[in-house]
Structures are given as structure tokens and as C-alpha cells.
Amino acid sequence: MGDIMPHYVVLQVILKEKFMGSGSGNLTSLEQAINEQAAKGYRLHTVTTASSGSKGFGGGDRIQATMVFESLG
């Protein structure tokens, strides 16, 4: 029973869609989060997303990305 269990890190990133037009530039937020964890020795294991609307002027939709990273060490 000397097996070492892998270590995981879970991050949540809230992405906001633009009120007008298409595209939100959120890929840079995701890319930054992934690159930061990769530099720490983790790789992306799983990603899930959930969407919710936001009320009010300029609210737009919000997407919650939950990412699970697995230690390579």
C-alpha cells in the first residue's frame, strides 16, 4: 500500500460574455489559468462549464468553468 495518490487542484473561472457583439476575450483568462498551473507541474485533467444569465443593463451571460488539474509529480 505504498502507492501515492495523485494530487489535484480545482480552479473555477467566471467568464463574462460581452453585452454587444460576439466573442468575449475569455480565452486569455482560461489560457492564463492553465499556463499558471502547468508551470507549477500540473496538467489539465477535466474541465466542465455551466452557464447562467445575468439581469440588468450590460449584464450578459456568465459561464463558470471548473477545471481540475492533476499533479505530474
Side-chain angles (χ1 to χ4, degrees):
M1 294 199 182
D3 293 331
I4 298 174
M5 296 297 291
H7 293 104
Y8 294 91
V9 172
V10 178
L11 295 179
Q12 289 185 336
V13 177
I14 304 298
L15 309 173
K16 297 177 185 177
E17 294 300 317
K18 282 186 176 178
F19 175 67
M20 300 288 283
S22 62
S24 61
N26 284 319
L27 288 179
T28 55
S29 297
L30 288 175
E31 182 180 16
Q32 181 179 359
I34 292 168
N35 286 337
E36 285 175 1
Q37 294 307 309
K40 295 176 184 178
Y42 289 86
R43 69 174 169 196
L44 183 61
H45 180 275
T46 307
V47 63
T48 60
T49 58
S51 172
S52 66
S54 178
K55 295 183 179 177
F57 181 76
D61 290 333
R62 297 184 192 279
I63 299 170
Q64 176 179 313
T66 302
M67 296 176 284
V68 178
F69 295 87
E70 180 179 23
S71 173
L72 295 175

Short mmCIF file of all heavy atoms in Angstrom, two decimals:
data_model
loop_
_atom_site.label_atom_id
_atom_site.label_comp_id
_atom_site.label_asym_id
_atom_site.label_seq_id
_atom_site.Cartn_x
_atom_site.Cartn_y
_atom_site.Cartn_z
N MET A 1 0.81 -1.18 0.00
CA MET A 1 0.00 0.00 0.00
C MET A 1 0.86 1.25 0.00
O MET A 1 0.51 2.25 0.58
CB MET A 1 -0.93 0.02 1.20
CG MET A 1 -1.95 -1.04 1.17
SD MET A 1 -3.28 -0.60 2.27
CE MET A 1 -4.26 -2.04 2.08
N GLY A 2 1.99 1.21 -0.67
CA GLY A 2 2.87 2.34 -0.73
C GLY A 2 2.55 3.29 -1.87
O GLY A 2 3.33 4.18 -2.17
N ASP A 3 1.42 3.06 -2.54
CA ASP A 3 1.05 3.94 -3.65
C ASP A 3 0.77 5.35 -3.15
O ASP A 3 0.15 5.54 -2.10
CB ASP A 3 -0.20 3.42 -4.38
CG ASP A 3 0.07 2.10 -5.10
OD1 ASP A 3 1.22 1.89 -5.51
OD2 ASP A 3 -0.88 1.30 -5.22
N ILE A 4 1.22 6.32 -3.91
CA ILE A 4 0.95 7.71 -3.59
C ILE A 4 -0.21 8.17 -4.46
O ILE A 4 -0.17 8.03 -5.68
CB ILE A 4 2.20 8.59 -3.83
CG1 ILE A 4 3.34 8.14 -2.91
CG2 ILE A 4 1.88 10.05 -3.62
CD1 ILE A 4 4.64 8.85 -3.17
N MET A 5 -1.22 8.73 -3.81
CA MET A 5 -2.37 9.22 -4.55
C MET A 5 -1.99 10.50 -5.28
O MET A 5 -1.27 11.32 -4.74
CB MET A 5 -3.54 9.50 -3.60
CG MET A 5 -4.06 8.26 -2.89
SD MET A 5 -4.74 7.05 -4.02
CE MET A 5 -6.19 7.88 -4.57
N PRO A 6 -2.46 10.68 -6.51
CA PRO A 6 -2.16 11.91 -7.23
C PRO A 6 -2.80 13.11 -6.54
O PRO A 6 -3.85 12.99 -5.92
CB PRO A 6 -2.75 11.68 -8.62
CG PRO A 6 -3.67 10.54 -8.48
CD PRO A 6 -3.27 9.76 -7.28
N HIS A 7 -2.15 14.25 -6.64
CA HIS A 7 -2.67 15.48 -6.08
C HIS A 7 -3.41 16.26 -7.15
O HIS A 7 -2.98 16.31 -8.30
CB HIS A 7 -1.54 16.33 -5.49
CG HIS A 7 -0.89 15.70 -4.32
ND1 HIS A 7 0.34 15.09 -4.38
CD2 HIS A 7 -1.32 15.55 -3.04
CE1 HIS A 7 0.65 14.61 -3.19
NE2 HIS A 7 -0.34 14.88 -2.36
N TYR A 8 -4.49 16.87 -6.76
CA TYR A 8 -5.31 17.62 -7.70
C TYR A 8 -5.51 19.05 -7.21
O TYR A 8 -5.49 19.32 -6.02
CB TYR A 8 -6.70 16.96 -7.86
CG TYR A 8 -6.62 15.61 -8.51
CD1 TYR A 8 -6.50 14.46 -7.74
CD2 TYR A 8 -6.65 15.47 -9.89
CE1 TYR A 8 -6.41 13.21 -8.33
CE2 TYR A 8 -6.57 14.22 -10.49
CZ TYR A 8 -6.44 13.11 -9.71
OH TYR A 8 -6.35 11.87 -10.30
N VAL A 9 -5.68 19.94 -8.15
CA VAL A 9 -6.03 21.33 -7.88
C VAL A 9 -7.30 21.63 -8.66
O VAL A 9 -7.40 21.28 -9.84
CB VAL A 9 -4.90 22.29 -8.32
CG1 VAL A 9 -5.35 23.74 -8.22
CG2 VAL A 9 -3.65 22.07 -7.50
N VAL A 10 -8.27 22.26 -8.01
CA VAL A 10 -9.52 22.62 -8.67
C VAL A 10 -9.61 24.14 -8.72
O VAL A 10 -9.45 24.81 -7.70
CB VAL A 10 -10.74 22.04 -7.91
CG1 VAL A 10 -12.03 22.47 -8.58
CG2 VAL A 10 -10.65 20.53 -7.83
N LEU A 11 -9.83 24.67 -9.91
CA LEU A 11 -9.98 26.12 -10.10
C LEU A 11 -11.31 26.41 -10.76
O LEU A 11 -11.76 25.65 -11.61
CB LEU A 11 -8.87 26.67 -11.00
CG LEU A 11 -7.45 26.61 -10.50
CD1 LEU A 11 -6.52 27.19 -11.55
CD2 LEU A 11 -7.28 27.37 -9.21
N GLN A 12 -11.91 27.52 -10.38
CA GLN A 12 -13.13 27.99 -11.05
C GLN A 12 -12.84 29.37 -11.63
O GLN A 12 -12.29 30.23 -10.96
CB GLN A 12 -14.30 28.07 -10.09
CG GLN A 12 -14.80 26.72 -9.66
CD GLN A 12 -16.03 26.80 -8.79
OE1 GLN A 12 -16.28 27.81 -8.16
NE2 GLN A 12 -16.79 25.72 -8.76
N VAL A 13 -13.19 29.54 -12.90
CA VAL A 13 -13.02 30.81 -13.58
C VAL A 13 -14.39 31.26 -14.08
O VAL A 13 -15.09 30.49 -14.74
CB VAL A 13 -12.03 30.67 -14.77
CG1 VAL A 13 -11.90 31.98 -15.52
CG2 VAL A 13 -10.67 30.19 -14.29
N ILE A 14 -14.78 32.48 -13.73
CA ILE A 14 -16.05 33.03 -14.19
C ILE A 14 -15.78 33.85 -15.45
O ILE A 14 -14.96 34.78 -15.44
CB ILE A 14 -16.70 33.93 -13.12
CG1 ILE A 14 -16.88 33.17 -11.82
CG2 ILE A 14 -18.03 34.49 -13.64
CD1 ILE A 14 -17.80 31.97 -11.90
N LEU A 15 -16.45 33.49 -16.53
CA LEU A 15 -16.27 34.16 -17.81
C LEU A 15 -17.50 35.00 -18.10
O LEU A 15 -18.62 34.53 -17.93
CB LEU A 15 -16.07 33.12 -18.91
CG LEU A 15 -15.00 32.07 -18.63
CD1 LEU A 15 -15.01 31.01 -19.70
CD2 LEU A 15 -13.64 32.71 -18.53
N LYS A 16 -17.29 36.23 -18.53
CA LYS A 16 -18.40 37.12 -18.83
C LYS A 16 -18.47 37.37 -20.32
O LYS A 16 -17.47 37.71 -20.94
CB LYS A 16 -18.23 38.45 -18.09
CG LYS A 16 -18.23 38.30 -16.59
CD LYS A 16 -17.98 39.63 -15.93
CE LYS A 16 -17.86 39.46 -14.43
NZ LYS A 16 -17.55 40.71 -13.77
N GLU A 17 -19.64 37.18 -20.87
CA GLU A 17 -19.85 37.46 -22.29
C GLU A 17 -20.08 38.94 -22.48
O GLU A 17 -20.68 39.60 -21.63
CB GLU A 17 -21.04 36.66 -22.82
CG GLU A 17 -20.81 35.16 -22.83
CD GLU A 17 -19.63 34.75 -23.67
OE1 GLU A 17 -19.48 35.27 -24.78
OE2 GLU A 17 -18.84 33.91 -23.22
N LYS A 18 -19.66 39.46 -23.61
CA LYS A 18 -19.87 40.87 -23.92
C LYS A 18 -21.35 41.16 -24.10
O LYS A 18 -22.11 40.32 -24.58
CB LYS A 18 -19.15 41.25 -25.21
CG LYS A 18 -17.67 41.45 -25.04
CD LYS A 18 -17.10 41.97 -26.33
CE LYS A 18 -15.63 42.28 -26.19
NZ LYS A 18 -15.06 42.74 -27.45
N PHE A 19 -21.75 42.36 -23.75
CA PHE A 19 -23.13 42.80 -23.93
C PHE A 19 -23.46 42.94 -25.40
O PHE A 19 -24.52 42.56 -25.86
CB PHE A 19 -23.35 44.12 -23.18
CG PHE A 19 -24.71 44.70 -23.39
CD1 PHE A 19 -25.83 44.07 -22.88
CD2 PHE A 19 -24.87 45.87 -24.10
CE1 PHE A 19 -27.09 44.61 -23.07
CE2 PHE A 19 -26.12 46.41 -24.29
CZ PHE A 19 -27.23 45.79 -23.78
N MET A 20 -22.56 43.52 -26.17
CA MET A 20 -22.78 43.75 -27.59
C MET A 20 -21.75 42.95 -28.39
O MET A 20 -20.60 42.88 -27.99
CB MET A 20 -22.63 45.23 -27.94
CG MET A 20 -23.58 46.14 -27.20
SD MET A 20 -25.26 46.00 -27.76
CE MET A 20 -25.17 46.91 -29.27
N GLY A 21 -22.16 42.40 -29.51
CA GLY A 21 -21.22 41.72 -30.39
C GLY A 21 -20.93 40.31 -29.93
O GLY A 21 -21.50 39.81 -28.98
N SER A 22 -20.01 39.69 -30.64
CA SER A 22 -19.68 38.31 -30.32
C SER A 22 -18.25 38.23 -29.83
O SER A 22 -17.43 39.09 -30.10
CB SER A 22 -19.85 37.42 -31.56
OG SER A 22 -18.97 37.85 -32.58
N GLY A 23 -17.97 37.19 -29.10
CA GLY A 23 -16.63 36.98 -28.57
C GLY A 23 -16.41 37.82 -27.33
O GLY A 23 -16.87 38.93 -27.23
N SER A 24 -15.70 37.26 -26.37
CA SER A 24 -15.55 37.96 -25.11
C SER A 24 -14.10 38.11 -24.69
O SER A 24 -13.82 38.79 -23.72
CB SER A 24 -16.30 37.20 -24.02
OG SER A 24 -15.77 35.90 -23.90
N GLY A 25 -13.18 37.49 -25.41
CA GLY A 25 -11.79 37.57 -25.00
C GLY A 25 -11.49 36.72 -23.78
O GLY A 25 -10.47 36.89 -23.13
N ASN A 26 -12.41 35.82 -23.40
CA ASN A 26 -12.23 35.00 -22.21
C ASN A 26 -11.18 33.90 -22.39
O ASN A 26 -10.72 33.33 -21.41
CB ASN A 26 -13.55 34.35 -21.80
CG ASN A 26 -14.47 35.35 -21.13
OD1 ASN A 26 -14.03 36.15 -20.33
ND2 ASN A 26 -15.73 35.28 -21.46
N LEU A 27 -10.83 33.60 -23.63
CA LEU A 27 -9.84 32.56 -23.84
C LEU A 27 -8.53 32.91 -23.17
O LEU A 27 -7.81 32.03 -22.69
CB LEU A 27 -9.64 32.29 -25.33
CG LEU A 27 -10.80 31.58 -26.02
CD1 LEU A 27 -10.49 31.39 -27.50
CD2 LEU A 27 -11.08 30.24 -25.38
N THR A 28 -8.21 34.19 -23.08
CA THR A 28 -6.96 34.57 -22.42
C THR A 28 -7.04 34.26 -20.93
O THR A 28 -6.03 33.88 -20.33
CB THR A 28 -6.64 36.07 -22.64
OG1 THR A 28 -7.76 36.84 -22.22
CG2 THR A 28 -6.34 36.35 -24.09
N SER A 29 -8.21 34.40 -20.31
CA SER A 29 -8.37 34.05 -18.89
C SER A 29 -8.15 32.56 -18.67
O SER A 29 -7.47 32.15 -17.73
CB SER A 29 -9.76 34.44 -18.39
OG SER A 29 -9.95 35.82 -18.48
N LEU A 30 -8.74 31.76 -19.53
CA LEU A 30 -8.56 30.31 -19.42
C LEU A 30 -7.12 29.91 -19.69
O LEU A 30 -6.54 29.11 -18.97
CB LEU A 30 -9.49 29.58 -20.40
CG LEU A 30 -10.96 29.58 -20.06
CD1 LEU A 30 -11.76 28.92 -21.17
CD2 LEU A 30 -11.20 28.87 -18.75
N GLU A 31 -6.54 30.49 -20.73
CA GLU A 31 -5.16 30.18 -21.09
C GLU A 31 -4.21 30.53 -19.95
O GLU A 31 -3.31 29.76 -19.62
CB GLU A 31 -4.77 30.93 -22.36
CG GLU A 31 -3.37 30.63 -22.84
CD GLU A 31 -3.00 31.40 -24.10
OE1 GLU A 31 -3.69 32.38 -24.45
OE2 GLU A 31 -2.01 31.02 -24.72
N GLN A 32 -4.43 31.67 -19.33
CA GLN A 32 -3.57 32.10 -18.23
C GLN A 32 -3.67 31.12 -17.06
O GLN A 32 -2.65 30.73 -16.48
CB GLN A 32 -3.96 33.50 -17.77
CG GLN A 32 -3.10 34.02 -16.64
CD GLN A 32 -3.47 35.43 -16.23
OE1 GLN A 32 -4.37 36.04 -16.79
NE2 GLN A 32 -2.79 35.95 -15.23
N ALA A 33 -4.89 30.72 -16.70
CA ALA A 33 -5.08 29.77 -15.60
C ALA A 33 -4.41 28.44 -15.89
O ALA A 33 -3.73 27.86 -15.03
CB ALA A 33 -6.57 29.57 -15.33
N ILE A 34 -4.55 27.95 -17.12
CA ILE A 34 -3.93 26.67 -17.50
C ILE A 34 -2.41 26.78 -17.49
O ILE A 34 -1.72 25.91 -16.96
CB ILE A 34 -4.46 26.21 -18.88
CG1 ILE A 34 -5.94 25.85 -18.77
CG2 ILE A 34 -3.64 25.03 -19.41
CD1 ILE A 34 -6.64 25.65 -20.09
N ASN A 35 -1.88 27.86 -18.06
CA ASN A 35 -0.42 28.03 -18.10
C ASN A 35 0.18 28.19 -16.71
O ASN A 35 1.28 27.68 -16.44
CB ASN A 35 -0.05 29.23 -18.98
CG ASN A 35 -0.22 28.92 -20.45
OD1 ASN A 35 -0.19 27.77 -20.86
ND2 ASN A 35 -0.41 29.96 -21.25
N GLU A 36 -0.53 28.87 -15.81
CA GLU A 36 -0.03 29.03 -14.44
C GLU A 36 0.09 27.68 -13.74
O GLU A 36 1.07 27.41 -13.05
CB GLU A 36 -0.95 29.95 -13.64
CG GLU A 36 -0.79 31.41 -14.00
CD GLU A 36 -1.80 32.30 -13.28
OE1 GLU A 36 -2.62 31.79 -12.47
OE2 GLU A 36 -1.76 33.52 -13.53
N GLN A 37 -0.92 26.83 -13.92
CA GLN A 37 -0.87 25.51 -13.29
C GLN A 37 0.17 24.61 -13.94
O GLN A 37 0.84 23.83 -13.27
CB GLN A 37 -2.26 24.86 -13.30
CG GLN A 37 -3.27 25.59 -12.44
CD GLN A 37 -2.80 25.80 -11.02
OE1 GLN A 37 -2.36 24.87 -10.35
NE2 GLN A 37 -2.86 27.04 -10.56
N ALA A 38 0.32 24.73 -15.26
CA ALA A 38 1.34 23.93 -15.97
C ALA A 38 2.72 24.29 -15.46
O ALA A 38 3.59 23.41 -15.29
CB ALA A 38 1.24 24.16 -17.47
N ALA A 39 2.97 25.56 -15.18
CA ALA A 39 4.26 26.00 -14.67
C ALA A 39 4.53 25.43 -13.28
O ALA A 39 5.69 25.28 -12.88
CB ALA A 39 4.33 27.52 -14.65
N LYS A 40 3.46 25.09 -12.56
CA LYS A 40 3.60 24.51 -11.21
C LYS A 40 3.68 22.99 -11.25
O LYS A 40 3.73 22.35 -10.21
CB LYS A 40 2.41 24.94 -10.35
CG LYS A 40 2.36 26.43 -10.08
CD LYS A 40 1.11 26.76 -9.30
CE LYS A 40 0.96 28.26 -9.10
NZ LYS A 40 -0.27 28.60 -8.39
N GLY A 41 3.65 22.40 -12.47
CA GLY A 41 3.77 20.95 -12.59
C GLY A 41 2.44 20.22 -12.63
O GLY A 41 2.38 19.03 -12.30
N TYR A 42 1.38 20.90 -13.03
CA TYR A 42 0.06 20.27 -13.15
C TYR A 42 -0.37 20.25 -14.61
O TYR A 42 0.02 21.09 -15.39
CB TYR A 42 -0.99 21.05 -12.34
CG TYR A 42 -0.83 20.91 -10.85
CD1 TYR A 42 0.02 21.76 -10.15
CD2 TYR A 42 -1.52 19.93 -10.14
CE1 TYR A 42 0.18 21.63 -8.78
CE2 TYR A 42 -1.37 19.81 -8.78
CZ TYR A 42 -0.51 20.66 -8.10
OH TYR A 42 -0.36 20.52 -6.75
N ARG A 43 -1.20 19.27 -14.94
CA ARG A 43 -1.80 19.24 -16.28
C ARG A 43 -3.32 19.24 -16.12
O ARG A 43 -3.86 18.74 -15.13
CB ARG A 43 -1.35 18.02 -17.06
CG ARG A 43 -1.90 16.72 -16.52
CD ARG A 43 -1.53 15.55 -17.40
NE ARG A 43 -1.86 14.31 -16.72
CZ ARG A 43 -1.42 13.14 -17.06
NH1 ARG A 43 -0.61 13.02 -18.09
NH2 ARG A 43 -1.76 12.08 -16.40
N LEU A 44 -3.98 19.79 -17.13
CA LEU A 44 -5.44 19.85 -17.10
C LEU A 44 -5.99 18.44 -17.23
O LEU A 44 -5.67 17.71 -18.16
CB LEU A 44 -5.96 20.74 -18.23
CG LEU A 44 -7.46 20.96 -18.28
CD1 LEU A 44 -7.96 21.62 -17.01
CD2 LEU A 44 -7.82 21.80 -19.49
N HIS A 45 -6.79 18.04 -16.28
CA HIS A 45 -7.37 16.69 -16.25
C HIS A 45 -8.81 16.72 -16.76
O HIS A 45 -9.20 15.91 -17.60
CB HIS A 45 -7.32 16.17 -14.81
CG HIS A 45 -7.89 14.80 -14.63
ND1 HIS A 45 -9.23 14.57 -14.44
CD2 HIS A 45 -7.29 13.59 -14.60
CE1 HIS A 45 -9.44 13.27 -14.31
NE2 HIS A 45 -8.28 12.66 -14.40
N THR A 46 -9.62 17.67 -16.27
CA THR A 46 -11.03 17.74 -16.61
C THR A 46 -11.47 19.21 -16.61
O THR A 46 -10.99 19.99 -15.80
CB THR A 46 -11.89 16.99 -15.57
OG1 THR A 46 -11.39 15.67 -15.43
CG2 THR A 46 -13.35 16.93 -15.98
N VAL A 47 -12.39 19.54 -17.50
CA VAL A 47 -13.00 20.87 -17.46
C VAL A 47 -14.50 20.71 -17.69
O VAL A 47 -14.92 19.91 -18.53
CB VAL A 47 -12.36 21.83 -18.50
CG1 VAL A 47 -12.57 21.36 -19.92
CG2 VAL A 47 -12.88 23.24 -18.33
N THR A 48 -15.28 21.44 -16.89
CA THR A 48 -16.72 21.46 -17.08
C THR A 48 -17.16 22.92 -17.10
O THR A 48 -16.50 23.79 -16.53
CB THR A 48 -17.48 20.73 -15.96
OG1 THR A 48 -17.18 21.35 -14.71
CG2 THR A 48 -17.09 19.26 -15.90
N THR A 49 -18.28 23.18 -17.75
CA THR A 49 -18.80 24.55 -17.79
C THR A 49 -20.27 24.55 -17.42
O THR A 49 -20.99 23.59 -17.66
CB THR A 49 -18.63 25.18 -19.19
OG1 THR A 49 -19.30 24.38 -20.16
CG2 THR A 49 -17.17 25.33 -19.56
N ALA A 50 -20.70 25.65 -16.83
CA ALA A 50 -22.10 25.89 -16.51
C ALA A 50 -22.41 27.31 -16.92
O ALA A 50 -21.60 28.21 -16.75
CB ALA A 50 -22.36 25.68 -15.03
N SER A 51 -23.59 27.52 -17.47
CA SER A 51 -23.98 28.83 -17.98
C SER A 51 -25.13 29.38 -17.17
O SER A 51 -26.02 28.65 -16.75
CB SER A 51 -24.38 28.70 -19.45
OG SER A 51 -24.93 29.88 -19.93
N SER A 52 -25.11 30.71 -16.95
CA SER A 52 -26.23 31.37 -16.30
C SER A 52 -26.37 32.77 -16.87
O SER A 52 -25.40 33.41 -17.22
CB SER A 52 -26.03 31.43 -14.79
OG SER A 52 -24.95 32.26 -14.47
N GLY A 53 -27.60 33.24 -16.96
CA GLY A 53 -27.86 34.59 -17.45
C GLY A 53 -27.71 35.58 -16.33
O GLY A 53 -27.81 35.25 -15.15
N SER A 54 -27.47 36.82 -16.68
CA SER A 54 -27.36 37.89 -15.70
C SER A 54 -28.33 38.99 -16.10
O SER A 54 -28.37 39.38 -17.26
CB SER A 54 -25.92 38.41 -15.67
OG SER A 54 -25.82 39.48 -14.77
N LYS A 55 -29.06 39.50 -15.14
CA LYS A 55 -30.07 40.52 -15.43
C LYS A 55 -29.46 41.91 -15.29
O LYS A 55 -28.46 42.10 -14.62
CB LYS A 55 -31.26 40.38 -14.50
CG LYS A 55 -31.99 39.07 -14.74
CD LYS A 55 -33.20 38.95 -13.87
CE LYS A 55 -33.88 37.62 -14.19
NZ LYS A 55 -35.01 37.37 -13.38
N GLY A 56 -30.09 42.86 -15.93
CA GLY A 56 -29.63 44.24 -15.82
C GLY A 56 -28.91 44.67 -17.08
O GLY A 56 -28.45 43.87 -17.87
N PHE A 57 -28.81 45.97 -17.23
CA PHE A 57 -28.17 46.54 -18.42
C PHE A 57 -26.70 46.13 -18.47
O PHE A 57 -25.96 46.31 -17.51
CB PHE A 57 -28.28 48.06 -18.41
CG PHE A 57 -27.66 48.70 -19.62
CD1 PHE A 57 -28.32 48.66 -20.84
CD2 PHE A 57 -26.42 49.29 -19.55
CE1 PHE A 57 -27.76 49.23 -21.96
CE2 PHE A 57 -25.85 49.86 -20.66
CZ PHE A 57 -26.52 49.84 -21.87
N GLY A 58 -26.29 45.57 -19.58
CA GLY A 58 -24.89 45.18 -19.75
C GLY A 58 -24.50 43.93 -19.00
O GLY A 58 -23.33 43.62 -18.89
N GLY A 59 -25.49 43.23 -18.45
CA GLY A 59 -25.18 42.05 -17.64
C GLY A 59 -24.56 40.93 -18.44
O GLY A 59 -23.51 40.43 -18.11
N GLY A 60 -25.21 40.56 -19.52
CA GLY A 60 -24.69 39.48 -20.35
C GLY A 60 -24.74 38.13 -19.67
O GLY A 60 -25.15 38.01 -18.52
N ASP A 61 -24.32 37.11 -20.38
CA ASP A 61 -24.28 35.77 -19.82
C ASP A 61 -22.97 35.55 -19.08
O ASP A 61 -21.96 36.15 -19.38
CB ASP A 61 -24.41 34.72 -20.93
CG ASP A 61 -25.80 34.70 -21.55
OD1 ASP A 61 -26.75 35.05 -20.83
OD2 ASP A 61 -25.91 34.33 -22.72
N ARG A 62 -23.03 34.63 -18.14
CA ARG A 62 -21.82 34.26 -17.40
C ARG A 62 -21.64 32.75 -17.56
O ARG A 62 -22.59 31.99 -17.50
CB ARG A 62 -21.95 34.62 -15.93
CG ARG A 62 -22.09 36.11 -15.71
CD ARG A 62 -22.12 36.43 -14.23
NE ARG A 62 -22.54 37.80 -13.99
CZ ARG A 62 -21.76 38.85 -14.09
NH1 ARG A 62 -20.51 38.70 -14.46
NH2 ARG A 62 -22.21 40.06 -13.85
N ILE A 63 -20.41 32.37 -17.76
CA ILE A 63 -20.06 30.96 -17.87
C ILE A 63 -19.05 30.65 -16.77
O ILE A 63 -18.06 31.36 -16.63
CB ILE A 63 -19.46 30.62 -19.24
CG1 ILE A 63 -20.48 30.94 -20.34
CG2 ILE A 63 -19.02 29.16 -19.30
CD1 ILE A 63 -19.89 30.87 -21.74
N GLN A 64 -19.34 29.63 -15.99
CA GLN A 64 -18.41 29.20 -14.94
C GLN A 64 -17.67 27.99 -15.44
O GLN A 64 -18.28 26.96 -15.73
CB GLN A 64 -19.17 28.87 -13.66
CG GLN A 64 -18.27 28.33 -12.57
CD GLN A 64 -19.05 28.04 -11.31
OE1 GLN A 64 -19.85 28.84 -10.86
NE2 GLN A 64 -18.83 26.87 -10.76
N ALA A 65 -16.37 28.10 -15.57
CA ALA A 65 -15.54 26.98 -15.98
C ALA A 65 -14.86 26.42 -14.74
O ALA A 65 -14.19 27.15 -14.01
CB ALA A 65 -14.48 27.42 -16.99
N THR A 66 -15.06 25.13 -14.49
CA THR A 66 -14.40 24.45 -13.38
C THR A 66 -13.36 23.51 -13.99
O THR A 66 -13.70 22.64 -14.79
CB THR A 66 -15.40 23.66 -12.53
OG1 THR A 66 -16.40 24.56 -12.05
CG2 THR A 66 -14.71 22.97 -11.36
N MET A 67 -12.10 23.73 -13.60
CA MET A 67 -11.01 22.94 -14.16
C MET A 67 -10.34 22.14 -13.05
O MET A 67 -10.08 22.67 -11.97
CB MET A 67 -9.99 23.86 -14.82
CG MET A 67 -10.55 24.62 -16.01
SD MET A 67 -9.36 25.79 -16.70
CE MET A 67 -9.44 27.09 -15.48
N VAL A 68 -10.08 20.86 -13.33
CA VAL A 68 -9.37 20.00 -12.39
C VAL A 68 -8.00 19.71 -12.99
O VAL A 68 -7.90 19.24 -14.13
CB VAL A 68 -10.13 18.68 -12.14
CG1 VAL A 68 -9.34 17.77 -11.19
CG2 VAL A 68 -11.52 18.96 -11.58
N PHE A 69 -6.96 20.04 -12.23
CA PHE A 69 -5.59 19.80 -12.66
C PHE A 69 -4.99 18.66 -11.84
O PHE A 69 -5.25 18.56 -10.64
CB PHE A 69 -4.74 21.06 -12.47
CG PHE A 69 -5.16 22.20 -13.34
CD1 PHE A 69 -6.15 23.08 -12.94
CD2 PHE A 69 -4.55 22.40 -14.56
CE1 PHE A 69 -6.53 24.14 -13.75
CE2 PHE A 69 -4.93 23.46 -15.39
CZ PHE A 69 -5.92 24.32 -14.97
N GLU A 70 -4.19 17.84 -12.49
CA GLU A 70 -3.55 16.69 -11.85
C GLU A 70 -2.05 16.92 -11.79
O GLU A 70 -1.44 17.36 -12.77
CB GLU A 70 -3.85 15.43 -12.66
CG GLU A 70 -3.25 14.17 -12.11
CD GLU A 70 -3.61 12.96 -12.94
OE1 GLU A 70 -3.95 13.12 -14.15
OE2 GLU A 70 -3.53 11.85 -12.41
N SER A 71 -1.46 16.61 -10.65
CA SER A 71 -0.01 16.78 -10.48
C SER A 71 0.74 15.78 -11.35
O SER A 71 0.37 14.61 -11.44
CB SER A 71 0.36 16.56 -9.02
OG SER A 71 1.77 16.56 -8.89
N LEU A 72 1.79 16.25 -12.02
CA LEU A 72 2.63 15.36 -12.83
C LEU A 72 3.74 14.73 -11.98
O LEU A 72 4.43 13.84 -12.46
CB LEU A 72 3.25 16.14 -13.99
CG LEU A 72 2.25 16.67 -15.03
CD1 LEU A 72 2.96 17.53 -16.04
CD2 LEU A 72 1.53 15.53 -15.71
N GLY A 73 3.89 15.21 -10.78
CA GLY A 73 4.99 14.74 -9.92
C GLY A 73 4.63 13.65 -9.01
O GLY A 73 4.08 12.73 -8.89
#
